[in-house]
Amino acid sequence: MRVPGFLARQLIVPGSLRPVADGFTIAVTNPIGDGRIVRIVRIAVDGQPILPDAITARRDGDPTRYRAVDVSPATPVDFRKGDLVTFHVAGHALAPGEHRLEVGLEEANLGSHEVEVSERAVAG
């Protein structure tokens, strides 16, 4: 299921897409409702695929660093309403300016979702 653009834009924290020394970070929030992510299907920036082993995430207030490659039905990640999660993508340089982000994931109860959004990267 393709997530409508107006909903996808609510997930991204404005101004949070930032280049960092070893890649980039972006923060997302969950304004919709509780979910359980059981698989990361695909992630791309400007059409370039990102390998899941380059992606980690940390929930605000939780020191646990989740690796995208480890997300599975046996090791799901809960994404509760109100959560703020910062993703770190290593090894992918990101210049300031507009970028297209694409994410495909599978949620335990709602199935597959595809999210596409454009966001402006700001200097660190």
Side-chain angles (χ1 to χ4, degrees):
M1 172 174 70
R2 181 168 280 303
V3 175
F6 75 95
L7 284 177
R9 283 188 293 280
Q10 291 180 28
L11 298 172
I12 305 295
V13 175
S16 69
L17 182 59
R18 297 185 180 275
V20 295
D22 65 340
F24 68 91
T25 61
I26 188 165
V28 298
T29 188
N30 180 1
I32 299 166
D34 293 353
R36 177 168 281 178
I37 300 170
V38 295
R39 189 163 53 115
I40 306 297
V41 177
R42 181 175 100 71
I43 296 176
V45 176
D46 299 327
Q48 182 179 3
I50 305 293
L51 296 175
D53 62 354
I55 303 164
T56 58
R58 202 166 83 203
R59 184 180 290 122
D60 194 34
D62 179 355
T64 305
R65 188 169 303 273
Y66 297 93
R67 296 176 350 132
V69 72
D70 294 335
V71 177
S72 73
T75 57
V77 175
D78 290 329
F79 191 34
R80 295 178 296 272
K81 183 174 182 175
D83 277 353
L84 175 66
V85 176
T86 300
F87 288 88
H88 177 259
V89 177
H92 186 88
L94 190 70
E98 197 74 20
H99 296 278
R100 189 178 85 242
L101 307 170
E102 303 167 62
V103 177
L105 57 83
E106 188 174 326
E107 197 277 334
N109 298 309
L110 301 175
S112 295
H113 297 285
E114 295 178 26
V115 177
E116 184 176 324
V117 66
S118 290
E119 184 68 16
R120 177 167 290 283
V122 296

